[in-house]
Amino acid sequence: MNTATMLYRSQWNTLTEAEAIRLLQEITNSWFQGFSIKKFEKFGRFEQKIFSAILDFQGTEFVFVPGDTVTLGLDQVNFSGENLANILEIFDGNETAMNEYFHTALSPVRTVTIPPMLVERIPRETGWFEVAADDPRLADFDSFPETMAAVQASERENYTYTVNESYRVKRRGSNISIQLYEGMDYDKFVASVVATGFRIPTEDEWEYLAGGGSRTLYPWGNQLDYTKKYHHFETGHPKEEPYFLDMPNHFGLVIANNPYHSEILMDSEYFLRGGDGGCAICGGGGLDLGYFPAATYARDPNIFDEDMAYKDQITGEYNYYRRILHIPANLPGNR
């Protein structure tokens, strides 16, 4: 049995759980120093399913994602029903203008081969790093002592006080942490991740991780489900109800769950995906247009706006990243 080919989805799904466990244990022990398997788990959502492993690396969870050859991108979106009516209303009933808008914002149809990889389950913030309360750099901020005292005195269990692109103080229960901000341009940021031995996804990889090769705008179809709870559209839903897109997807990942958050990508023309910083929502797009930037095949052409100069400072409140590791193709040939 060829080990490398067994890590692609068409053959991976033919393995028994015992075979999959043995193979993942061998790969983890042989190739991924510092990783340990926490548990094995079946993930299933949106009519896709996979048996995989959750791994730990320095307190952060990763999952194994098998490779595959898939068709990505769309050339049109077939909205219908209430979803179509709501979007048409935003375009003043002009269906031609609506179709042109979505056509220019969709990634093209193409067939690609995605390698098997380990993928960080939840994206990470950019720009912020933790420091001690006596870090001398905090003396540069006159407001820090007062802010710290206010957070310490607060009765709120979850409290974050942020001074934009300077510092922030976070309280979680009795634990208080302090973070400073360091801005980076795109090239420096990507280089800083690669220097640690990791990568971040390409656009092709990100679409695969988000949709698994589904042929619809979202992993579940082309329409939003109005009965679900979404970030920024919580009215009418109980506080304890989970957000629809915060639950792990078919690969065990939390991805494309909030249009205010974009993920930074590498080796791709479109270097941000999964959100638009909330621009469509703030612009009156409502749920229907507001969540389009989080769709699997939605691109945001505005990232190339010269005045915004996104690449000059890619880190910040709205941009996140997730680390990945490709599984080498030169694994021992047979087992």
Side-chain angles (χ1 to χ4, degrees):
M1 189 181 296
N2 186 285
T3 302
T5 59
M6 292 309 299
L7 299 179
Y8 283 79
R9 192 158 48 161
S10 61
Q11 296 199 48
W12 178 259
N13 286 339
T14 68
L15 296 177
T16 66
E17 289 188 9
E19 289 173 329
I21 288 170
R22 184 167 60 251
L23 182 53
L24 287 174
Q25 288 173 331
E26 291 175 1
I27 292 170
T28 302
N29 294 336
S30 300
W31 288 91
F32 297 109
Q33 185 176 4
F35 282 82
S36 60
I37 295 176
K38 293 179 66 174
K39 62 178 178 177
F40 297 94
E41 189 165 330
K42 291 179 180 178
F43 295 108
R45 206 166 184 213
F46 310 132
E47 299 183 0
Q48 298 188 58
K49 58 184 179 180
I50 205 78
F51 179 77
S52 186
I54 298 176
L55 302 97
D56 176 83
F57 178 77
Q58 297 180 352
T60 298
E61 288 188 343
F62 285 70
V63 289
F64 163 71
V65 174
D68 204 354
T69 297
V70 290
T71 300
L72 302 175
L74 289 177
D75 52 16
Q76 66 178 14
V77 184
N78 297 313
F79 295 115
S80 63
E82 187 177 357
N83 201 199
L84 174 60
N86 290 338
I87 293 174
L88 264 177
E89 184 177 353
I90 295 171
F91 287 89
D92 297 323
N94 188 331
E95 190 167 352
T96 299
M98 180 193 74
N99 289 335
E100 288 178 354
Y101 172 85
F102 287 108
H103 181 72
T104 59
L106 291 172
S107 69
V109 176
R110 71 269 189 206
T111 299
V112 300
T113 297
I114 306 297
M117 58 186 120
L118 302 185
V119 183
E120 196 164 12
R121 296 190 72 189
I122 299 174
R124 306 166 69 87
E125 290 184 306
T126 60
W128 295 98
F129 60 97
E130 195 162 316
V131 298
D134 59 355
D135 191 292
R137 289 168 290 187
L138 292 169
D140 295 339
F141 309 110
D142 294 338
S143 62
F144 175 72
E146 183 178 349
T147 300
M148 186 66 173
V151 174
Q152 289 174 325
S154 175
E155 297 181 357
R156 295 165 60 180
E157 291 289 313
N158 293 288
Y159 183 26
T160 301
Y161 189 103
T162 302
V163 177
N164 189 40
E165 296 184 358
S166 298
Y167 72 88
R168 69 183 177 193
V169 183
K170 298 172 67 174
R171 177 171 186 157
R172 299 294 181 266
S174 60
N175 181 59
I176 295 178
S177 61
I178 303 155
Q179 295 177 318
L180 288 173
Y181 179 80
E182 179 186 8
M184 286 189 191
D185 65 30
Y186 174 80
D187 290 335
K188 182 179 179 182
F189 174 77
V190 172
S192 73
V193 177
V194 172
T196 66
F198 289 93
R199 293 174 50 84
I200 52 180
T202 64
E203 183 179 39
D204 289 346
E205 290 167 345
W206 187 90
E207 287 189 3
Y208 175 63
L209 295 175
S214 63
R215 303 307 306 132
T216 52
L217 184 62
Y218 301 100
W220 61 87
N222 290 316
Q223 323 300 325
L224 288 171
D225 185 342
Y226 297 125
T227 68
K228 304 299 185 183
K229 182 180 178 181
Y230 300 88
H231 287 283
H232 318 294
F233 296 93
E234 298 94 343
T235 301
H237 293 271
K239 184 178 180 180
E240 62 275 10
E241 179 184 346
Y243 289 95
F244 176 50
L245 298 178
D246 280 1
M247 293 181 283
N249 73 355
H250 45 278
F251 289 134
L253 304 171
V254 176
I255 188 169
N257 64 320
N258 186 338
Y260 274 78
H261 298 167
S262 301
E263 285 198 41
I264 302 170
L265 309 178
M266 68 182 292
D267 298 338
S268 307
E269 178 187 10
Y270 277 77
F271 54 91
L272 290 172
R273 289 294 304 273
D276 66 347
C279 291
I281 292 176
C282 292
L287 176 61
D288 299 273
L289 194 58
Y291 257 77
F292 173 72
T296 305
Y297 301 122
R299 286 173 160 179
D300 180 13
N302 293 318
I303 65 174
F304 303 111
D305 187 310
E306 293 183 0
D307 293 331
M308 296 298 293
Y310 281 91
K311 279 194 170 182
D312 288 355
Q313 183 162 297
I314 198 68
T315 53
E317 181 179 357
Y318 300 111
N319 293 342
Y320 289 66
Y321 74 106
R322 76 176 71 232
R323 299 170 295 173
I324 68 170
L325 283 174
H326 289 167
I327 297 178
N330 60 338
L331 290 168
N334 294 286
R335 62 179 178 89

